[in-house]
Amino acid sequence: ASLTADHNRSRKRKRTHAKLREKTAGMYASRVLFNSKRATASGVFRHFSAGGKKTLAALKEADVKGKVVFLRADLNVPMTKEGEVKVTDDTRVAASVPTISALKSMGAKVVVTSHLGRPKGKVNERMRMAPVAECLGQHLKCEVPSIDDCIGKSVTSATKNMQNGDVILLENLRFHEGETQNDDDFSQDLYKSTGADVYVNDAFGTAHRAHSSTAGIVSKIKSEKSDAPAVAGILLEKELTFLSSAVDTPKRPFAAVVGGAKVSTKITVLESLLDKCDKLLISGGMIFTFLKARGFNVGKSILEEDAVDLARELEEKAAAKGVELVLPVDVIIADKFDADAFTDEVSVERIPDGWMGLDHGPETCKLFRDTLADCKTIVWNGPMGAFEMAQFSTGTYDLAEYLAELTEEKGAVTIVGGGDSVAAVKKRGLAEKLTHISTGGGASLEMLEGKILPGVAALDDA
């Protein structure tokens, strides 16, 4: 009977998906977006500002026509590891197209830049941008020349030969170590080589880094062209709108679900969330540090001995602030960290010596669902267990499925950030059923902490 009921609910969700997604989007838009709007060339209404910063929609055609636009995009795409170098997943390339197309349609000379992989300041033949340029050209349905460097004479020559509406892609920024160091000379070289008149950042995934292409070049452009626009592209605008609104003015009850292995790496975001949310649900490997703080045996589970006091203090702070802090009540344990391990299901008070917890159990799945049932805004960052192995994936996938259900059936605003969480959602085929999937793991965490992102700070205030 239970399986039949679940099947019927699943069919109902599928039938009503489109209608409910439209309703959810409308409810959210009316609450968080800005009143001033401009239609882009694609006909989509964008907004003059997001997160207190100007966006691409604030620019008129006269601001960019015939001018060189330095566009920092996120084209850090997966590539083949052997043989001919090809793009294996063009999701990020496709996501950059709206901003580039809008600039093209206004007659800008679009100089696209990005990093690819981690070449650590040296040329790596498998990390060149040429295959990405080919892929981008296919999406834009136009030629996108790949320039053999990101600074120097070849860049200057290519830029000077551009016509209005042209697009070029510079070589991997991180072939130069000055990029990640925000080196003053490299920032100047980026500006002088391109002759940039306008700056657009559309790379949220690197916005939390003070690099030459995200911060340094902006100051160089404005040192000679003080009125030069520096704005957020369409992708960055979306991230700023959803994340800043969810954290600063959430529709309540507001819940945060935080997973991952270590308390120490997320201590600041956990403390920040205690000042913002009504409910804080914690799972993943970090729960064993909390369980240790409660005096429970955790066997061979991952444990940060030096963070036990931190965990205890977080629970005390949550109680003092009136935040409902929820931990798992049962776990799936294994005799080793392996897909072929022997497993069992036990309460958190009964983890035996020699065993490790690798996922939360079915009672916790139910507890988390009950806790989130009335929430209007939910932010999730970090997996609930070792979801890459099937027998330890239930907690993560159950949460993803329930968030999709809350979005569709109750109009909840659901925001997912962090590489592993996003990967789990996509693997389950649920990305389109959630309100927002963040493109930046580290950047989204820092926004949740309330930090100012250097790549955002560099843009013009609205």
Side-chain angles (χ1 to χ4, degrees):
S2 177
L3 290 174
T4 301
D6 288 343
H7 178 67
N8 288 338
R9 283 195 295 270
S10 177
R11 291 181 64 188
K12 179 182 178 182
R13 285 197 297 270
K14 289 178 180 178
R15 287 197 304 268
T16 59
H17 170 63
K19 182 178 180 181
L20 289 166
R21 280 286 294 173
E22 183 178 354
K23 178 181 178 183
T24 299
M27 289 170 59
Y28 190 70
S30 66
R31 184 171 58 83
V32 303
L33 298 180
F34 301 87
N35 292 325
S36 299
K37 301 179 179 179
R38 181 192 304 283
T40 65
S42 63
V44 178
F45 279 99
R46 308 306 305 176
H47 299 79
F48 284 136
S49 63
K53 296 294 181 175
K54 286 185 179 179
T55 69
L56 186 62
L59 302 184
K60 300 176 182 178
E61 184 175 299
D63 295 323
V64 299
K65 187 173 184 178
K67 296 183 179 180
V68 176
V69 176
F70 187 103
L71 172 62
R72 179 44 162 111
D74 184 1
L75 303 179
N76 184 28
V77 295
M79 310 287 281
T80 52
K81 299 185 184 304
E82 297 178 353
E84 184 181 359
V85 182
K86 293 182 178 181
V87 176
T88 59
D89 183 347
D90 65 354
T91 301
R92 288 181 175 175
V93 176
S96 71
V97 169
T99 292
I100 298 173
S101 295
L103 289 167
K104 272 176 56 65
S105 70
M106 291 192 287
K109 301 174 181 179
V110 189
V111 178
V112 184
T113 64
S114 178
H115 74 282
L116 180 62
R118 296 179 178 178
K120 299 181 179 179
K122 297 179 180 179
V123 173
N124 184 318
E125 294 299 327
R126 299 200 69 86
M127 295 181 187
R128 287 195 177 277
M129 300 300 295
V132 183
E134 181 180 354
C135 182
L136 180 59
Q138 292 170 355
H139 280 277
L140 291 171
K141 295 181 173 54
C142 70
E143 182 182 1
V144 178
S146 175
I147 312 306
D148 63 6
D149 205 341
C150 58
I151 57 173
K153 293 182 180 179
S154 60
V155 175
T156 301
S157 176
T159 305
K160 286 184 177 179
N161 289 326
M162 293 178 76
Q163 302 298 312
N164 294 0
D166 282 355
V167 181
I168 63 174
L169 177 61
L170 303 189
E171 188 53 275
N172 193 335
L173 289 162
R174 293 188 185 175
F175 281 178
H176 296 266
E177 61 182 8
E179 160 63 4
T180 56
Q181 297 171 356
N182 196 18
D183 180 76
D184 192 67
D185 289 339
F186 183 68
S187 298
Q188 181 73 2
D189 286 342
L190 283 176
Y191 166 51
K192 288 296 186 181
S193 298
T194 59
D197 303 301
V198 178
Y199 177 84
V200 178
N201 192 339
D202 213 23
F204 181 67
T206 57
H208 62 311
R209 306 296 189 192
H211 290 175
S212 286
S213 65
T214 61
I217 188 176
V218 182
S219 62
K220 296 302 179 183
I221 296 172
K222 288 183 174 291
S223 68
E224 292 189 13
K225 305 169 184 176
S226 59
D227 59 347
V231 302
I234 293 171
L235 269 179
L236 182 55
E237 173 199 342
K238 182 180 178 183
E239 293 279 8
L240 294 177
T241 298
F242 276 92
L243 288 172
S244 61
S245 298
V247 173
D248 297 335
T249 57
K251 190 173 182 181
R252 296 185 182 276
F254 170 33
V257 185
V258 182
K262 297 182 178 181
V263 177
S264 59
T265 59
K266 294 188 176 178
I267 183 65
T268 51
V269 72
L270 289 170
E271 289 181 327
S272 177
L273 287 169
L274 287 178
D275 291 326
K276 298 177 173 70
C277 65
D278 304 296
K279 303 179 183 184
L280 177 58
L281 293 74
I282 300 175
S283 191
M286 72 173 73
I287 66 166
F288 301 105
T289 303
F290 282 88
L291 295 178
K292 186 71 172 180
R294 290 184 176 185
F296 298 149
N297 181 48
V298 298
K300 293 195 303 181
S301 305
I302 185 171
L303 174 66
E304 291 182 282
E305 290 280 5
D306 56 355
V308 170
D309 288 340
L310 283 176
R312 187 179 297 112
E313 290 170 8
L314 279 170
E315 286 210 66
E316 293 172 352
K317 289 179 180 178
K321 293 175 180 290
V323 175
E324 183 180 352
L325 191 149
V326 182
L327 296 178
V329 293
D330 63 340
V331 290
I332 305 300
I333 58 172
D335 61 344
K336 58 183 177 180
F337 189 84
D338 192 277
D340 297 323
F342 289 106
T343 64
D344 198 1
E345 173 193 325
V346 299
S347 70
V348 294
E349 297 94 338
R350 297 182 179 278
I351 301 174
D353 291 335
W355 291 68
M356 63 183 71
L358 295 176
D359 192 13
H360 66 225
E363 289 301 314
T364 300
C365 288
K366 182 178 184 303
L367 173 63
F368 277 24
R369 282 175 172 252
D370 291 343
T371 304
L372 296 171
D374 66 339
C375 293
K376 303 301 183 185
T377 305
I378 304 166
V379 174
W380 172 28
N381 186 289
M384 304 293 96
F387 78 98
E388 63 274 12
M389 291 184 278
Q391 66 269 50
F392 310 120
S393 64
T394 301
T396 298
Y397 289 144
D398 185 77
L399 175 63
E401 288 165 2
Y402 190 55
L403 294 187
E405 184 178 321
L406 289 174
T407 306
E408 292 182 338
E409 299 188 358
K410 294 188 177 182
V413 175
T414 51
I415 300 172
V416 181
D420 288 335
S421 305
V422 172
V425 166
K426 289 183 176 179
K427 187 174 182 180
R428 207 63 170 181
L430 297 170
E432 296 300 318
K433 296 184 179 183
L434 299 167
T435 309
H436 179 61
I437 303 294
S438 179
T439 58
S444 63
L445 268 180
E446 293 198 11
M447 278 201 72
L448 291 177
E449 291 174 33
K451 290 184 178 180
I452 297 175
L453 308 185
V456 175
L459 305 179
D460 294 341
D461 292 330

